[in-house]
């Protein structure tokens, strides 16, 4: 996924420079904007593959830029929000305005690169109706909301599929319960974190009921869940 054009939208010059240095090592081409108005001009004049977007900015903030991208410009450019620690409400609002993921400052460069790679890959998947992938014996068909094991389709709800698909698309990455709730539930949802645990339990039980006995979802105690990387599964 290297060689793509990444637009960094942040009013802090030091943050833009830090991200630019990080991405240049991965052969991404970076463009910059220090506010929403400038970002709109860059997007109109360039082929942008992903936007890294700070939420709080002068002139046009991240929310207004998201609305413009999704409504006025009618563009499905993937967007990753850059948020401050404890900015949960703003992150949730951004996700439901059309952002694809988020990352919290301060972050590790390798985590940022992993998020970018994953989001860009998912954006291409959405355009390819035949795309599928396999991990630990499970075959995923994201655009069909289908998982097969030994060529037999598994019965899962749309929400269960979305959770497992997100985890399996990012093996080794730990998602907190809060992140899963933010990414997979509607903005008006009033449930608590136990809802995530209940869905994970249902997924595990449905996998076992189909004869799938690998512990593909690992609980990271005190944090959340991850799908174990393909060569580390426990039979």
């Amino acid at each position: 996924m290297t060689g793509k054009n990444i637009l960094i939208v942040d009013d802090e010059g030091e943050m833009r420079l830090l991200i630019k240095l990080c991405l240049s090592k991965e052969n991404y081409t970076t463009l910059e904007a220090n506010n929403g108005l400038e970002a709109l001009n860059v997007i109109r004049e360039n082929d942008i593959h992903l936007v890294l977007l700070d939420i709080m900015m002068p002139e046009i903030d991240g929310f207004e830029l998201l609305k413009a991208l999704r409504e006025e410009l009618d563009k499905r450019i993937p967007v990753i929000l850059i948020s401050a620690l404890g900015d949960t409400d703003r992150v949730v609002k951004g996700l439901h305005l059309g952002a694809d993921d988020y990352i919290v400052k301060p972050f590790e460069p390798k985590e940022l690169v992993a998020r970018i790679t994953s989001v860009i890959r998912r954006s291409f998947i959405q355009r390819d109706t035949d795309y599928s992938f396999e991990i630990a014996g499970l075959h995923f068909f994201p655009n069909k909301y289908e998982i097969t094991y030994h060529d037999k389709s598994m019965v899962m709800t749309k929400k269960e599929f979305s959770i497992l698909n997100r985890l399996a698309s990012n093996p080794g990455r730990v998602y907190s319960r809060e992140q899963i709730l933010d990414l997979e539930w509607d903005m008006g949802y009033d449930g608590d974190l136990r809802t995530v645990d209940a869905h994970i339990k249902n997924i595990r039980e449905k996998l076992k009921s189909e004869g799938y006995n690998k512990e593909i979802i690992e609980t990271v105690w005190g944090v959340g869940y991850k799908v174990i990387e393909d060569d580390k599964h426990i039979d």
Side-chain angles (χ1 to χ4, degrees), residues 112-173:
L112 177 63
V113 171
R115 300 278 181 101
I116 290 171
T117 302
S118 175
V119 169
I120 290 178
R121 183 173 63 244
R122 288 204 304 270
S123 76
F124 278 94
I125 288 170
Q126 291 170 357
R127 302 170 197 169
D128 182 359
T129 56
D130 296 325
Y131 175 81
S132 66
F133 69 94
E134 187 173 353
I135 183 169
L138 295 178
H139 203 163
F140 287 76
F141 299 85
N143 289 308
K144 298 177 183 178
Y145 286 89
E146 182 181 15
I147 302 172
T148 62
Y149 178 55
H150 292 329
D151 295 324
K152 182 181 178 183
S153 183
M154 293 188 167
V155 178
M156 288 193 183
T157 67
K158 184 176 179 181
K159 192 72 68 182
E160 290 164 354
F161 173 86
S162 294
I163 292 170
L164 183 53
N165 181 63
R166 183 175 294 277
L167 295 174
S169 297
N170 300 275
R173 174 180 167 185

Side-chain angles (χ1 to χ4, degrees), residues 6 49 76 104 231:
I6 310 296
H49 298 101
R76 269 304 311 169
V104 178
D231 60 345

Side-chain angles (χ1 to χ4, degrees), residues 30 39 57 60 94-95 108 115 118 150 171 178 182 191 207 215:
T30 57
M57 296 182 299
I60 293 180
L95 290 171
E108 292 290 333
R115 300 278 181 101
S118 175
H150 292 329
E178 291 88 349
D182 289 347
L207 290 172
E215 295 295 332

Side-chain angles (χ1 to χ4, degrees), residues 22-235:
C22 169
L23 297 185
S24 65
K25 296 177 182 178
E26 303 294 329
N27 294 320
Y28 284 112
T29 299
T30 57
L31 297 91
E32 300 179 43
N34 63 16
N35 59 61
L37 280 175
E38 188 175 321
L40 284 174
N41 290 329
V42 174
I43 291 167
R44 289 187 179 107
E45 296 172 4
N46 296 273
D47 185 16
I48 303 298
H49 298 101
L50 182 137
V51 177
L52 290 172
L53 178 60
D54 186 29
I55 295 175
M56 303 308 294
M57 296 182 299
E59 309 249 2
I60 293 180
D61 65 14
F63 298 138
E64 292 302 314
L65 181 56
L66 263 174
K67 289 178 183 177
L69 277 175
R70 300 297 184 246
E71 296 172 10
E72 297 171 30
L73 300 183
D74 192 27
K75 289 182 178 287
R76 269 304 311 169
I77 301 172
V79 174
I80 297 178
L81 300 174
I82 302 172
S83 73
L85 189 65
D87 234 0
T88 303
D89 290 342
R90 290 194 178 100
V91 166
V92 171
K93 179 178 178 180
L95 290 171
H96 290 282
L97 285 172
D100 298 87
D101 202 349
Y102 67 96
I103 190 166
V104 178
K105 296 184 282 190
F107 46 79
E108 292 290 333
K110 63 181 181 181
E111 180 186 6
L112 177 63
V113 171
R115 300 278 181 101
I116 290 171
T117 302
S118 175
V119 169
I120 290 178
R121 183 173 63 244
R122 288 204 304 270
S123 76
F124 278 94
I125 288 170
Q126 291 170 357
R127 302 170 197 169
D128 182 359
T129 56
D130 296 325
Y131 175 81
S132 66
F133 69 94
E134 187 173 353
I135 183 169
L138 295 178
H139 203 163
F140 287 76
F141 299 85
N143 289 308
K144 298 177 183 178
Y145 286 89
E146 182 181 15
I147 302 172
T148 62
Y149 178 55
H150 292 329
D151 295 324
K152 182 181 178 183
S153 183
M154 293 188 167
V155 178
M156 288 193 183
T157 67
K158 184 176 179 181
K159 192 72 68 182
E160 290 164 354
F161 173 86
S162 294
I163 292 170
L164 183 53
N165 181 63
R166 183 175 294 277
L167 295 174
S169 297
N170 300 275
R173 174 180 167 185
V174 180
Y175 283 86
S176 70
R177 292 168 176 84
E178 291 88 349
Q179 286 174 324
I180 295 173
L181 202 64
D182 289 347
L183 291 165
E184 302 298 345
W185 267 264
D186 295 333
M187 192 171 185
Y189 182 69
D190 293 326
D192 60 25
L193 299 181
R194 289 173 294 183
T195 300
V196 175
D197 297 331
H199 277 73
I200 294 292
K201 180 181 178 183
N202 289 341
I203 293 169
R204 285 169 168 163
E205 289 177 350
K206 288 183 177 182
L207 290 172
K208 287 182 180 179
S209 72
E210 297 291 342
Y212 185 84
N213 296 313
K214 294 182 179 181
E215 295 295 332
I216 187 172
I217 302 177
E218 180 179 308
T219 300
V220 181
W221 295 107
V223 183
Y225 300 98
K226 69 176 180 178
V227 156
I228 305 171
E229 294 172 87
D230 215 8
D231 60 345
K232 297 179 182 178
H233 289 86
I234 301 171
D235 291 315

